[in-house]
Amino acid sequence: MNTVLVIALILAMIATLVALIRGVIAFLQTTKEDLNAPEGSGPSPARLKQNRMMMNRVLFQAAAIIIVAILLMAKGHG
């Protein structure tokens, strides 16, 4: 069981890193037009992608933390 959890933890950490990199790339691709857009025009596709990637990063981080907690609890009882 610990092996499965360690593999899941590694996958969650890799997914977190990928989501972080994709979010930063989306942030860097923000154009001058996006920055100068009026407030009421709504979010641009680049901003929506950036928000989606950062939300994914948070979810993957939460999964990794939960897996670490499960591993620590299993080690404590073993």
Side-chain angles (χ1 to χ4, degrees), residues 2-73:
N2 281 347
T3 305
V4 173
L5 288 174
V6 169
I7 292 171
L9 177 61
I10 291 170
L11 291 175
M13 291 188 302
I14 291 170
T16 301
L17 182 63
V18 169
L20 174 66
I21 291 170
R22 288 184 68 190
V24 169
I25 289 171
F27 176 74
L28 293 175
Q29 291 176 343
T30 302
T31 62
K32 189 178 276 190
E33 291 82 23
D34 289 337
L35 296 174
N36 293 331
E39 288 295 320
S41 65
S44 69
R47 287 186 184 182
L48 291 174
K49 182 177 180 181
Q50 177 184 347
N51 285 343
R52 191 172 51 251
M53 287 301 107
M54 290 300 120
M55 182 58 79
N56 286 341
R57 179 190 58 84
V58 170
L59 292 174
F60 292 137
Q61 276 182 309
I65 290 170
I66 290 169
I67 293 168
V68 168
I70 292 170
L71 281 169
L72 289 174
M73 287 190 315

